[in-house]
Amino acid sequence: MREWWVQVGLLSVPLLAVYLHIPPPKLSPALLSWRSSGGYFTYKDQNIFYRDSTGAVGSSDVVILLHGFPTSSYDWCKIWEGLTQRFHRVIALDFVGFGFSDKPRPHRYSIFEQASIVEGLVRHLGLRHQRINLLSHDYGDTVAQELLHRSLQPLMLWLLFAVGGRHSLHLGLIAQADIAPRAVSRLCSTRRHRLLRNNRFLFSILQYINQRKKHRDRWVGALMSTSVPLHLIYGPLDPVNPHPEFLQLYRKVLPMSTVSVLDDHISHYPQLEDPTGFLNAYLNFINSF
């Protein structure tokens, strides 16, 4: 009798072939509206989608929103209007490989490239000398950490206020610090085996997990060394960063960071699960300066 995994493999081949030829689903009216209200800029021949809304009159503050895996800038839809009431410019992009941005194949996706794309967008919008507030979540947390590292160099002329959704800048920190190795392993296994089996395109994006481990000192070190204010917005039901172990480690590693803990039922996507609580926590932090 053949091994079970051989049988599963033989069955998965035709199923995968069918899957890869299924046309993408039609966009909902909400997504169509989101896309039509944005635009594109070019980074190394790749078309990158972004949204840029002008908001509060009399304010010069700018916030850039960095989304997580495996989603897009639409993650911020429920707090977008609230942010425009506080910031002069509210900007979000879809990282290359995500959302409405190009998805080149084959391609070596990396956190370093995504950070350079954010810098490219800043230059494209003429904001290089502007103070930038970063609001990041999940995958975007590590991009924010790389940007924070670069801001420590003398050639960087713009300042970051790094804040995060769900577990702030630290899904990367958690994976790197091994506070929840089993949870991270389960997450990787679930994503790879249920969603990404034999799909080299998405598997290449998942290499950010290995990049986090490899560049732990660079990215965690940036957080520990910066004088930029940091704030964590945390959902206690987060399955990847379990409560209370995560908060204990976070406060130990980054005692200078402030923290907002949302209601007990808030989990992976606080900006969607509790947009009012999330927005209030973020604005309270920003307005404290």
Side-chain angles (χ1 to χ4, degrees):
M1 181 177 179
R2 294 179 178 177
E3 296 289 343
W4 67 268
W5 56 268
V6 174
Q7 298 180 43
V8 171
L10 291 174
L11 178 62
S12 68
V13 170
L15 292 177
L16 180 64
V18 171
Y19 166 76
L20 292 176
H21 288 85
I22 294 176
K26 292 183 179 179
L27 297 179
S28 68
L31 282 174
L32 287 171
S33 175
W34 188 265
R35 185 176 64 180
S36 66
S37 63
Y40 292 84
F41 82 103
T42 302
Y43 176 83
K44 293 186 176 180
D45 298 325
Q46 304 298 336
N47 293 317
I48 306 299
F49 175 83
Y50 71 96
R51 263 192 114 205
D52 178 10
S53 294
T54 301
V57 177
S59 172
S60 61
D61 290 347
V62 177
V63 61
I64 295 179
L65 314 176
L66 307 179
H67 69 81
F69 176 93
T71 51
S72 71
S73 58
Y74 190 68
D75 281 356
W76 307 107
C77 64
K78 289 189 176 182
I79 64 169
W80 193 269
E81 183 177 353
L83 290 173
T84 62
Q85 295 176 15
R86 168 59 178 79
F87 292 94
H88 176 60
R89 300 275 289 277
V90 180
I91 301 163
L93 76 159
D94 290 349
F95 293 126
V96 65
F98 296 80
F100 297 123
S101 292
D102 282 353
K103 302 168 183 63
R105 310 181 190 189
H107 189 76
R108 290 192 174 185
Y109 293 91
S110 74
I111 294 298
F112 298 102
E113 177 188 39
Q114 305 290 19
S116 295
I117 289 173
V118 175
E119 291 180 322
L121 178 59
V122 168
R123 290 191 296 269
H124 174 74
L125 296 176
L127 299 174
R128 183 165 174 77
H129 299 279
Q130 179 75 39
R131 188 180 73 182
I132 305 292
N133 300 276
L134 284 186
L135 179 56
S136 67
H137 174 245
D138 191 85
Y139 182 95
D141 296 343
T142 312
V143 178
Q145 287 173 262
E146 171 58 20
L147 290 167
L148 189 61
H149 174 85
R150 296 182 188 187
S151 76
L152 301 177
Q153 308 304 316
L155 294 179
M156 288 300 297
L157 300 177
W158 50 295
L159 179 65
L160 307 175
F161 284 89
V163 189
R166 182 162 73 116
H167 34 241
S168 185
L169 300 177
H170 290 91
L171 177 58
L173 176 59
I174 288 307
Q176 297 148 1
D178 293 328
I179 184 174
R182 293 182 181 178
V184 172
S185 177
R186 286 196 301 270
L187 178 65
C188 298
S189 177
T190 298
R191 285 175 176 170
R192 288 179 179 173
H193 293 287
R194 291 186 182 178
L195 300 177
L196 313 177
R197 182 176 293 168
N198 297 324
N199 191 320
R200 294 181 180 179
F201 163 60
L202 289 178
F203 180 77
S204 65
I205 293 180
L206 269 180
Q207 291 307 304
Y208 78 91
I209 296 174
N210 294 329
Q211 293 166 23
R212 282 172 166 168
K213 295 177 180 179
K214 181 178 180 180
H215 302 290
R216 177 191 184 280
D217 291 344
R218 177 186 181 95
W219 291 331
V220 177
L223 295 169
M224 298 174 67
S225 302
T226 187
S227 60
V228 169
L230 304 174
H231 187 73
L232 165 70
I233 304 175
Y234 178 64
L237 204 59
D238 188 319
V240 179
N241 297 317
H243 186 271
E245 294 88 353
F246 171 73
L247 283 182
Q248 292 170 353
L249 175 63
Y250 184 92
R251 287 173 167 141
K252 179 180 179 180
V253 175
L254 298 172
M256 68 290 197
S257 174
T258 52
V259 176
S260 295
V261 180
L262 302 180
D263 291 343
D264 290 345
H265 66 281
I266 304 303
S267 177
H268 190 95
Y269 285 90
Q271 71 272 42
L272 296 174
E273 298 172 51
D274 183 13
T276 299
F278 181 92
L279 184 63
N280 287 339
Y282 179 58
L283 294 182
N284 286 339
F285 165 68
I286 290 294
N287 292 334
S288 66
F289 299 97

